[in-house]
Amino acid sequence: MSTYLPTLKQLQYLVALHEHGHFGRAAEAVFVSQSTLSAGIRELESLLGVTLVERSRRVVRFTGLGNAVVAKAHRVLREAEELSDLVQAAGAPLSGEMRLSVIPTIAPFVLPRLLPRLKKERPGLKLFLREEPSAAAMESLQHGRADCVLLALPYPIGEAAYEEIEDDRLFAAFPEGQPGNLPDEVDPAIIEEGTLLLLEDGHCLKDHALAACNRPELRASATMIGTSLHTLVQMVDNGLGVTMLPEMAIDAGILHETSVVARPLEGDGAVRHIALVWRKNSPREDDFRLLAEELRAG
């Protein structure tokens, strides 16, 4: 039996290097210097008596054993996080540290009204935020970097638990006067091929918008270049095309000081469902349900 057990810190360094593929970026992610991270991984290799990472000037490459150790490290770190969660859950409701990942098409429209109220009503809660697309957010949840995720359904969340917060209707946004006489609700059939502007791959709102339109030719001709909804709004305002916006963004004033005209899309599928997601059987499930209530109240 080995007399040496890796520390959680060493495993965190190794996982960060595997995720980022670069010593400098990995060190930034875990808030240490590059030399500290490198020394920690070398110490881990030395005490285990194996090589986990092949280093060169240009490439960081994990050995086969290194990849296997990283996979196991993810599970160890997640178990350690759940142990911490168990202790947190024994304290006051919705208190202590909590790490929340939020997708970019929700964060700027929900957090400004939520955070001041939480600070006032839940002073014992320390909420650490990550803004990242749905796939990255769910990976963070799976690997223990996030305790819960605020995203939009439908989206594959596996066996994770969740609670829906609200329905968020989708709107079509047009340049002023194009087309004229817009109805109160927009039939996706009036959107011309080649004019639809959407967020780039990785943002689930793109898939929600295309599904709501249910026009395969739009999927083929859509231009997916926007990195944020604000960028897309500016492009529409300059007459470059049409886009889709969630109702929460419009309610938050994303169209202020523009000439963009937005109308809700027709159809039962023209909606996304905002939900709080967490790992199934988490000891902090009661806290997450309380947070969901706070989100609904906002």
Side-chain angles (χ1 to χ4, degrees), residues 4 27 43 49 78 82 97 104 121 128 148 197 238-240 258 262 283:
Y4 172 73
E43 181 183 10
R78 186 166 63 245
E82 290 178 358
E97 294 185 358
E121 298 177 3
F128 296 93
C148 52
L197 307 172
N238 281 278
L240 299 178
T258 75

Side-chain angles (χ1 to χ4, degrees), residues 119-182:
K119 183 177 181 180
K120 179 180 179 181
E121 298 177 3
R122 303 285 183 174
L125 177 64
K126 295 182 180 179
L127 193 61
F128 296 93
L129 302 169
R130 296 170 66 105
E131 184 177 304
E132 50 191 353
S134 300
M138 288 305 300
E139 184 178 354
S140 291
L141 182 68
Q142 180 183 0
H143 291 160
R145 295 190 297 269
D147 300 310
C148 52
V149 173
L150 188 62
L151 49 63
L153 303 177
Y155 188 82
I157 61 170
E159 296 183 354
Y162 71 96
E163 190 163 319
E164 289 194 15
I165 307 300
E166 62 179 343
D167 289 342
D168 190 28
R169 197 168 182 184
L170 297 179
F171 281 60
F174 299 85
E176 186 177 26
Q178 300 179 24
N181 301 317
L182 275 175

